[in-house]
Amino acid sequence: MMDAGVPLKAPVAGIAMGLIKEGNDFAVLSDILGDEDHLGDMDFKVAGTERGVTSLQMDIKITGITEEIMKVALEQAHQGRLHILGEMAKSINAARAELGEHAPRIETIKIPVDKIREVIGSGGSVIREIVAESGAKIDIQDDGTVKIASARRESIEAALKRIRGITTEPEIGQIYKGKVVKIMEFGAFVNFFGAKDGLVHISQLTQGRPATVGEVVKEGQEVYVKLLGFDDRGKVRLSMKIIDQATGKEIPGAVDDDRGGSGGGGGGGGGGFRGRDRGGDRGGDRGPPRDRGGDGDRGGDRGGDRGPPRAAAPDFLGGGEFQEGGDRRPQRRERTERKERKEPDWD
């Protein structure tokens, strides 16, 4: 257990004691094997530390055990236990700081209940993919408790990374290890948090702007990035130049001018500032009036045959010329006069 990294207060050892009894004579045997257990009268197991006994277990085939037999058996077990502990101490005398490489382990985390569906996926597709890729066993409970079990730490860490990538959001100012997934002229896209990608602008790749992105990184290369924040479109902005790529630690005194942006550019083309005063005296000499043709007289002969003269309107419409769609002012005037005289309007 200590070799596997299981924490213990002190090393523990055990020994099995046997008994052969004939009349009043007896012999206590130490560290019995199968034959002594099968043919003997007692199987007495004693375990403990240097300071005392931690557990006892006994099987007997005779009617009783005397106090003398118990004293002899316990003393022999004590001496045998100390001998075993001494031999163990030559190899290991305390639990290892971490679990052994092949020791079974389990990690338990809590996720928001509303994220359970996303971790499981449609028809269990996501959870099956995580299990297949990581090799770990995963159990998700209704309250959001997730248990991940495996004998390999790498399997548990791979499963944890996938689940956290689905259920949590990256934090601004934190450093993450990612992989370059695409290179563009203006920067490199890095997968750094689950399925999330972000842009490292060319100005954020290294101290001093490189001529090309390919001078600094290649696709598939693992890099450390710091999350600077998000642009006005919600795109992730990352930086490499303030991180020591060998250690993954932030470089002391490194300046993050954060001028990379999202590769976008300035304030939109054209237009400029349109808020200036457009008032003032807009009069002044505008030059001679334009010639609209003719001598200015808008009357006279306007040209051409304008059709037959208008017919005379009936008397009840007030007389005068009348043509459908023509001047109806006489008719309206007549109605007004009728209303003033309070006569019925038969129209």
Side-chain angles (χ1 to χ4, degrees), residues 63-90:
T63 56
I65 297 295
T66 64
E67 181 179 344
E68 182 182 7
I69 292 175
M70 286 298 298
K71 286 182 178 180
V72 173
L74 286 173
E75 178 59 27
Q76 282 189 214
H78 176 65
Q79 297 301 324
R81 186 171 74 252
L82 293 180
H83 174 76
I84 296 171
L85 288 171
E87 294 299 315
M88 288 171 54
K90 294 177 182 179

Side-chain angles (χ1 to χ4, degrees), residues 1-8 10-12 88 92 94-100 103:
M1 293 177 70
M2 291 188 297
D3 184 51
V6 179
L8 299 174
V12 177
M88 288 171 54
I92 186 171
R96 300 191 186 279
E98 295 186 0
L99 289 177

Side-chain angles (χ1 to χ4, degrees), residues 149-162:
S150 176
R152 298 174 59 248
R153 174 173 292 277
E154 294 80 4
S155 297
I156 292 180
E157 290 178 349
L160 281 172
K161 183 178 180 180
R162 284 292 306 275

Side-chain angles (χ1 to χ4, degrees), residues 108-283:
T108 303
I109 62 173
K110 195 91 168 182
I111 65 173
V113 175
D114 58 353
K115 295 289 186 179
I116 295 177
R117 178 184 300 179
E118 297 181 30
V119 175
I120 294 176
S122 177
S125 59
V126 176
I127 194 68
R128 285 198 300 269
E129 181 181 343
I130 296 174
V131 170
E133 291 181 356
S134 66
K137 295 182 179 180
I138 302 175
D139 176 65
I140 303 177
Q141 300 178 7
D142 293 340
D143 62 352
T145 300
V146 181
K147 296 181 179 180
I148 307 170
S150 176
R152 298 174 59 248
R153 174 173 292 277
E154 294 80 4
S155 297
I156 292 180
E157 290 178 349
L160 281 172
K161 183 178 180 180
R162 284 292 306 275
I163 293 174
R164 285 172 176 159
I166 296 172
T167 60
T168 60
E169 295 295 331
E171 299 180 17
I172 296 176
Q174 294 297 313
I175 297 173
Y176 300 94
K177 186 176 183 179
K179 180 180 291 186
V180 178
V181 294
K182 191 174 184 180
I183 291 179
M184 306 293 288
E185 292 183 1
F186 52 82
F189 287 95
V190 176
N191 174 248
F192 72 103
F193 193 84
K196 296 179 176 64
D197 296 349
L199 173 66
V200 181
H201 190 264
I202 188 171
S203 63
Q204 294 291 334
L205 287 172
T206 184
Q207 298 293 336
R209 183 170 178 141
T212 63
V213 177
E215 294 179 7
V216 184
V217 294
K218 306 293 183 185
E219 289 191 10
Q221 179 179 341
E222 292 187 343
V223 296
Y224 289 99
V225 294
K226 180 179 179 179
L227 176 57
L228 300 178
F230 306 88
D231 65 12
D232 54 0
R233 294 176 296 173
K235 303 298 184 181
V236 179
R237 295 185 292 109
L238 305 172
S239 177
M240 286 174 51
K241 70 179 184 180
I242 57 177
I243 308 298
D244 186 337
Q245 295 299 313
T247 63
K249 304 294 184 182
E250 190 164 353
I251 301 173
V255 178
D256 173 24
D257 51 14
D258 191 15
R259 293 179 298 181
S262 61
F273 179 59
R274 302 181 61 88
R276 59 183 181 272
D277 182 11
R278 302 192 62 172
D281 183 8
R282 299 177 63 86

